[in-house]
């Protein structure tokens, strides 16, 4: 029986094909948690993307996402991550380059025009520059925002935030003030099994992988119902119940009084 999910290509041979197509442009490759990731030279990013798109056997025609990641302890602290999809083989691959606050990353808008807005988002959130993007404007400027909020060392206190005030019934500007505990990062994914108890899960019982969410409630214990009467009421014959006898029919003197009709003048007097 075929699985309901569409067929997709396995990772077998993908890294070897990428190594042959990219050559010296490829810095690192790995196959982890079922996903292939390639790290390529920043200056040769456009050439590497064209090779991944046009090489038979690879054919990653679609750019589906660009994201950033910040590692402040590194000299080139930013990762710019590209998600590529092959319609021909139904396979996904991840390509990344590294950079810092000053070195621009070559824009891939000449290959995929959709990259224009995605690169603009990465610039807005992390401050990464893209060489060749003609519309690299801030997105949050309209709100008076300063700085790049997804940097790990972004100072969350001292800036001004915008919010709607129920008290004032209008939009107000006020200084940002957040607890510093909010900025504790461990780079662990709750979806891949974090090694700590998530806030709010302290009382939840551990479950096996694949268990339904929320967990089904425990069944209520069965209760034995005792009869209230000591001796069950029974009928010995039809003479006591009238079963099987013809119905006498409705009679005029048995008609119930109509509660909506009041007594006439002189009645019941």
């Amino acid at each position: 029986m075929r699985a309901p999910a569409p067929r997709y290509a396995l990772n077998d041979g993908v890294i070897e094909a990428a190594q042959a197509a990219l050559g010296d442009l490829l810095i690192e490759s790995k196959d982890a948690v079922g996903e292939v990731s390639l790290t390529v030279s920043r200056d040769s990013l456009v050439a590497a993307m064209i090779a991944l798109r046009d090489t038979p056997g690879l054919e990653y025609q679609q750019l589906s996402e660009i994201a950033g990641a910040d590692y402040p302890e590194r000299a080139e602290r930013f990762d710019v991550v590209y998600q590529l999809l092959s319609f021909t083989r139904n396979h996904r691959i991840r390509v990344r380059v590294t950079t810092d606050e000053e070195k621009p990353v070559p824009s891939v808008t000449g290959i995929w025009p959709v990259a224009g807005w995605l690169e603009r988002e990465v610039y807005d959130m992390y401050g990464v520059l893209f060489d060749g993007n003609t519309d690299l404007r801030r997105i949050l400027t309209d709100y008076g925002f300063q700085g790049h909020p997804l940097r790990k060392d972004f100072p969350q206190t001292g800036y001004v935030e915008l919010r709607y005030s129920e008290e004032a019934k209008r939009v107000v500007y006020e200084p940002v003030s957040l607890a510093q505990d909010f900025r504790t990062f461990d780079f662990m994914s709750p979806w891949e099994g974090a090694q700590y108890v998530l806030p709010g899960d302290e009382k939840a019982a551990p479950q096996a992988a694949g268990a339904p969410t929320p967990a089904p409630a425990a069944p209520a214990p069965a209760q034995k119902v005792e009869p209230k009467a000591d001796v069950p009421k029974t009928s010995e014959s039809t003479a006591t119940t009238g079963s099987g006898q013809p119905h006498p029919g409705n009679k005029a003197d048995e008609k119930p009084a109509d509660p909506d009709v009041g007594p006439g003048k002189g009645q019941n007097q």
Side-chain angles (χ1 to χ4, degrees), residues 117-148:
W117 178 263
L118 301 176
E119 291 175 349
R120 187 174 168 184
E121 285 185 328
V122 174
Y123 166 69
D124 201 26
M125 297 294 116
Y126 294 93
V128 174
L129 300 173
F130 290 89
D131 186 17
N133 189 318
T134 58
D135 192 12
L136 206 62
R137 294 174 295 166
R138 293 298 306 271
I139 301 173
L140 299 175
T141 303
D142 293 342
Y143 302 96
F145 207 91
Q146 300 178 7
H148 304 283

Side-chain angles (χ1 to χ4, degrees), residues 130-189:
F130 290 89
D131 186 17
N133 189 318
T134 58
D135 192 12
L136 206 62
R137 294 174 295 166
R138 293 298 306 271
I139 301 173
L140 299 175
T141 303
D142 293 342
Y143 302 96
F145 207 91
Q146 300 178 7
H148 304 283
L150 289 189
R151 289 188 179 185
K152 292 295 188 299
D153 54 357
F154 177 72
Q156 296 181 327
T157 300
Y159 283 87
V160 176
E161 69 173 349
L162 174 146
R163 69 176 181 87
Y164 179 78
S165 172
E166 283 291 343
E167 295 78 9
K169 300 299 180 184
R170 61 181 177 83
V171 175
V172 298
Y173 293 86
E174 60 186 14
V176 176
S177 180
L178 297 175
Q180 294 301 308
D181 293 343
F182 181 73
R183 301 173 58 189
T184 301
F185 305 99
D186 54 16
F187 296 101
M188 298 182 68
S189 171

